[in-house]
Amino acid sequence: MSHPDYRLNLRPLGTPRGVSSVVGPHGFGASPGDKKSKNKSTRGKKRSIFETYMSKEAVSEGLKRGALIQGVLRINPKKFHEAFIPSPDGDRDIFIDGVVARNRALNGDLVVVKLLPEEQWKVIKPESNDKETEPAYESDLPEELCGHHLPQQALKGFNDSPDVIVEAQFGDSDSEDGHGDTQNVLVDGVEKLSVRSQDKGKEDANAPVTKDESTSMSQDTKALSEKSLQKSAKVVYILEKKHSRAATGILKLLADKNSELFRKYALFSPSDHRVPRIYVPLKDCPQDFVTRPKDYANTLFICRIVDWKEDSNFALGKDCIFTIDPSTARDLDDALSCRPLADGTFEVGVHIADVSYFVPEGSHLDKVAADRATSVYLVQKVVPMLPRLLCEELCSLNPMTDKLTFSVIWTLTPEGKILKEWFGRTIIRSCTKLSYEHAQSMIESPSEKIPEEELPPISPEHSSEEVHQAVLNLHRIAKQLRQQRFVDGALRLDQLKLAFILDSETGLPQGCHIYEYRDSNKLVEEFMLLANMAVAHKVYRAFPEQALLRRHPPPQMKMLNDLVEFCDQMGLSMDASSAGALNKSLTKIFGDDKYSLARKEVLTNMYSRPMQMALYFCSGVLQDQAQFRHYALNVPLYTHFTSPIRRFADVMVHRLLAAALGYREQLEVEPHALQKQADHCNDRRMASKRVQELSASLFFAVLVKESGPLESEAMVMGVLNQAFDVLVLRYGVQKRIYCNALALRSYHFQKVGKKPELTLIWEPKDPEQEPARQVITIFSLVEVVLQAEAAVLKYSAILKQPGPEGSLALEEDEEEDEEEGESHGALKD
C-alpha cells in the first residue's frame, strides 16, 4: 500500500468577525469588545489567536456548578460566522459569533461554552428569525478574512453563496510560513479592502458598523426587554470532535501572482463553507498543478485538519496512505490509510483505483473490458482485463505519484466500531509499495525498527517509523474486525494453495511451497470486506432496482447433513446449522498430534463440496430480499468494489457509486440488462478460476518432471467404491488413486453407517508371502511418491505398499467423478 500526505495549512486572512483588531495580552482569545486590552504591549511574546482550552477538571467543575454549558455546535451554512448550541432551558439557542469565539470547533462538535457578559449578547431584530439574525455589533474586518467566504471567482456553481464578498491582499511583509508576527499578519498586512455586494438592491446586513453606532447600540441594549436579547457565548472546550476535520473542495492558484504566497501555496476552498479555507503548500499539490491548474478545475480534493494550536494561525492537515500487495504485483488496486485522532479513535481509509474515470461507458475499451470481465492470473503471467498502460501505470496506485481514487473513510474505535462513514472521489499520492512480507515483518516486530535496506523506497515526506506505526494500528483494528465478524456468524473455508519459484531466464519452476496466509493478508482482507459491505449498502439505498450485488446461496443441505452424520460416526461433533456454527466446528483442532492440522484441512475440503458458488446479480431481478444474503459472510448485502483493475463487476459498481454521490447522471439501464452482464461476469469468473487451477497443476507437473521423484506423506480425504482421494501434505495437492491401477489381488468397499471403507489386498511379489491387507478410510495416512510420466506433462502418485517391499505407479485422473457429487463450490470471495 502507499502513503500520500497532504499538509494543509489554514491561514486566516484577517481579523475574525466580532473581535477587536487590536491584539491584547491574551491575544485574540480575549472576549469580543474587551477594550481594556488594547493598550497593553505584547511585543516579544508569541501571541495567541485562540484561547487555550480549559482543563478537563475545570470544565467538569464548571458544568456541575452551571457556570458552563455543553451542546452540539451548529454553524449556519449560509452565514458562516454564526453558530449556535441548544439552550439547556429549552429557550432560544445560545449564539456564538465568529471563528475566534468558536475556538477551533467545527460543525457537529460537542462543545462546552461560557456565556459572555449580558451587554455582549446578541440583539434580536423584531422581523428576524432566531437562527438567522445578525449580531448587535461587528468587528472592523468581516469574517471572510478568516477564510470563511469564497472569493468572487470561486462562486460559480454554488447556490448558497454569501451575500457579501470581501477580498483582501497582502504585502510582501506578510508572514508566509505561519511563524511570523501575528499582529502584522492579521492587521497591518491588510493593505486593501473592498466590499462587493452581489445584490445592490439588498441591504448590506454584513457591513461593519461604526464606533458611534456600536456605542449607541450598546446603550440601547439595556433598554430592550429580555426577550429581545439572545444569550451569546464562546467555546472553552471541545468534549468530542464529532466533525471528521475533513472536507472536499477545489484547489486554485492564488490571485496575486507576484506575491511570495503565490510561489508557496495554493488555495483550498471547501464545498462546505462551514469549514475554513485552507492554504495548501504547493509541494503537496499535484506536480503539474501550477503549470496546468485548469486541468484540475473539476477535480474534488480532500483535505483534513490534524492540528490547530491556539498560538498558530495555521491548521495543519495530513491524508496518510499506503499499499500492501504481493511482491510481484503490478496492478495495485487498493491503498489503506490510518490516522490516530485526539479522542483515541482512528480515521481509516480504503482508497480504490478510479478505473471508471479512464473507461468511458459505451466506449470500445468499455466493451472489450466487459467482454473479458476479469483478469486471469496464471502462474507465470497475468492476462489483464484492461490494457497494461491502464493496469500497471495510469490506474495502478504506484508510489510517489498522484492517482485518482474512490475512497471510503471511516472514524473507527480501536475495537472497530464505525462512528462515521464517508464516500467520495479523491486524489492520493502513495509514499511506498509494501509487500505482504514487509507488512508481516512490521507486525511481528512491533517495537523494533525495520532496517531501511529491508524496506522499499519511501517518499522523503514520510519515515519508515510512520509507516510501521500505521501498519500496526491497522493490524490491531483488523484483528478486532475479524474477531467480531466470526462472532457475528461468518464462515471461512480456506484451501491450500501452491506458490512457485520460477527461473528468471527460462520461466520454469525451480521450487514450490504452500502459500501461507498470514496476518498481513488478513489485515488487507478485513478492510476490503468492510469497504465492499459499505458500498453495497450505499448503492442499494440509492438504486434499489439497479444495484449490482453479490450473493452466496446456502449449501446443498442433503450433502451437508450427510457429512455431519458421517463426522459424528467418526467421533467428530460438527454443527452445520448455520455458517457461524460450521466455522466454529472447523476451527477446532482435532487431536493434539502433528497431523491435527492435516485433519482440519481434510475436513475443510470435505465441507467445501456442498457449498455453492457466489454470484453477481441485479437487485431489481430478485424479488425476495432474503436471497440477497451472502451465506459465508453472513451479511444481508455485499458487492465487489475493491478490485476494478481486474474485475469488470467492480467497474460497474464504481459507476453506481458515482451516480449515488452525484458525480454523474443516473445509469440508464434496465435491471434485466444489468443481470445479463452480471451473468456474463459469473461465467467468466468461473472459467478464470478453472484456468488458474489448471495452470498451477501444469507447473507442478513440470516441477515433478524437473525435480522428481518427490516423496511425501498423504492423508485420505475421500473414499469411493473403486478409488480414494489423498491430500499430499508436503505440497497441498490432491490426487485420486484408482484401485484398478494398483497391483492388487482384490479390493472390497463397504459402508459402516455413513463411514466408507476400502480394503486393499496387495499382490505379494514373493508367492510364498501372505498378501498385505490395507484398510483405507478417511483420515488414514499413506506414503506417496510423485514422479513424472513419459512424453506428457502429467505426473503419477506412487502409493507405497505396507511393509518394506516396493511401490506401484498410480496414474492421475484429471476429471472429477461427478456422479459422486464432488463438485467444489466457491470457498471465499
Side-chain angles (χ1 to χ4, degrees), residues 265-331:
Y265 297 100
L267 182 67
F268 175 80
S269 293
S271 302
D272 182 350
H273 305 216
R274 294 169 293 185
V275 177
R277 288 195 296 163
I278 297 169
Y279 275 168
V280 182
L282 290 175
K283 66 183 180 63
D284 295 324
C285 296
Q287 290 180 337
D288 59 349
F289 175 72
V290 174
T291 57
R292 303 173 62 90
K294 291 183 180 179
D295 289 0
Y296 299 90
N298 296 318
T299 300
L300 277 180
F301 293 83
I302 181 169
C303 291
R304 191 170 313 278
I305 297 171
V306 295
D307 192 21
W308 198 354
K309 298 184 183 302
E310 64 269 13
D311 59 359
S312 175
N313 56 347
F314 278 69
L316 299 179
K318 192 174 182 181
D319 194 5
C320 184
I321 305 174
F322 54 93
T323 63
I324 305 175
D325 290 279
S327 57
T328 57
R330 286 184 280 181
D331 51 350

Side-chain angles (χ1 to χ4, degrees), residues 253-266:
L253 294 175
L254 297 181
D256 188 358
K257 296 184 178 180
N258 297 319
S259 69
E260 286 295 318
L261 287 173
F262 181 86
R263 291 187 280 273
K264 293 186 177 181
Y265 297 100

Side-chain angles (χ1 to χ4, degrees), residues 1-5 319-325 332 334-338 349 351 396-401 403 428-434 457 459 462 467:
M1 309 239 124
S2 342
H3 268 80
D5 171 40
D319 194 5
C320 184
I321 305 174
F322 54 93
T323 63
I324 305 175
D325 290 279
L332 311 183
D334 55 274
L336 289 172
S337 62
C338 183
H351 313 274
S396 183
L397 305 183
N398 299 326
M400 289 174 259
T401 180
K403 293 296 178 180
I428 70 167
R429 177 177 295 187
S430 167
C431 79
T432 190
K433 174 191 172 185
L434 297 179
S459 64
H462 296 275
V467 178

